[in-house]
Amino acid sequence: MLPPALGRGARRTAPTLSGCGKRESAPGAAEGRQASAADTAADTPLGLIPIQGEATWTSHEGGYTVTFPPGCGSIHTRLSPAAAKDGQYSIVHAFADRAGRPGEGAMVTVYFGERGEDGGPPTPGNVTRKIEDMGKRYGVSLVAQRPFVQDGWEGVRVFCRETGSSRVMWMQGMLLPDRVVIMGAWRAGPEGLSDLQISRFFDSFRLDAAS
């Protein structure tokens, strides 16, 4: 399996790469986009059926809105440090396993306070290292990569395969002025989340207007 595990922190459950950075103007939240509770109905005493379609999620701590793939309606968060002063977190992690589909899911991790090697603002190297570290953690190897531009922001997408199995993982890295965003989605085999569904998840990412 490819669970998006991170270090310890507060948890909350809601009912060589290049080309990263800003190209034009900063994106805002899409008009009319509503935050979804996307809560963990399956974990409640009522035993409600979890959301099977796409689930729109707004992270106030991470300052973004995203639409998780079908079946990923049970979204969990982990905040680090757990008791951040004034709500200023260094890592905001949101993830969801796909209901009834072991080994499938999606995640968004936002890193604040990153610094480049010279101590200045983060650089594409920060994105590179985050993706490489994630690949090593999950035992996947790089198969392909390509740059992309989304709402004026430049980033990179990589396709990885788990060594010795048919499981695959897509990762997307974006460099913003004050944060690094790493997204990921994984499937156990060809019958799982499609590349199109994963692409829709990546493309749905929007910074909140106030961020």
Side-chain angles (χ1 to χ4, degrees), residues 102-172:
E104 295 186 41
M107 48 85 43
V108 182
T109 305
V110 181
Y111 299 88
F112 291 98
E114 291 289 308
R115 289 286 179 256
E117 293 183 357
D118 61 355
T123 69
N126 291 79
V127 178
T128 298
R129 288 188 290 274
K130 294 296 185 189
I131 290 179
E132 288 177 344
D133 289 347
M134 186 173 294
K136 291 176 183 178
R137 189 183 309 152
Y138 302 138
V140 296
S141 300
L142 177 67
V143 176
Q145 69 179 63
R146 64 179 176 86
F148 71 94
V149 179
Q150 185 169 315
D151 283 344
W153 298 102
E154 294 181 332
V156 64
R157 284 183 186 175
V158 300
F159 175 70
C160 300
R161 188 177 299 280
E162 188 176 28
T163 303
S165 80
S166 61
R167 292 173 179 164
V168 301
M169 184 174 191
W170 278 99
M171 287 182 278
Q172 173 169 294

Side-chain angles (χ1 to χ4, degrees), residues 56-111:
T56 299
W57 164 262
T58 292
S59 170
H60 298 293
E61 299 90 349
Y64 68 86
T65 296
V66 72
T67 300
F68 274 79
C72 294
S74 182
I75 300 166
H76 309 268
T77 62
R78 185 174 293 129
L79 309 174
S80 180
K85 182 179 179 180
D86 300 326
Q88 297 299 309
Y89 300 99
S90 58
I91 303 175
V92 177
H93 182 57
F95 64 97
D97 293 316
R98 207 171 173 213
R101 303 297 296 265
E104 295 186 41
M107 48 85 43
V108 182
T109 305
V110 181
Y111 299 88

Side-chain angles (χ1 to χ4, degrees), residues 54 66-67 69-70 146 148 150 157 170 172 183-185 187 193-206:
E54 295 179 333
V66 72
T67 300
R146 64 179 176 86
F148 71 94
Q150 185 169 315
R157 284 183 186 175
W170 278 99
Q172 173 169 294
M183 303 175 67
R187 62 173 179 256
L193 286 170
S194 68
D195 289 350
L196 178 59
Q197 289 171 326
I198 294 172
S199 181
R200 282 171 56 86
F201 164 58
F202 288 158
D203 290 341
S204 72
F205 181 90
R206 294 292 185 274

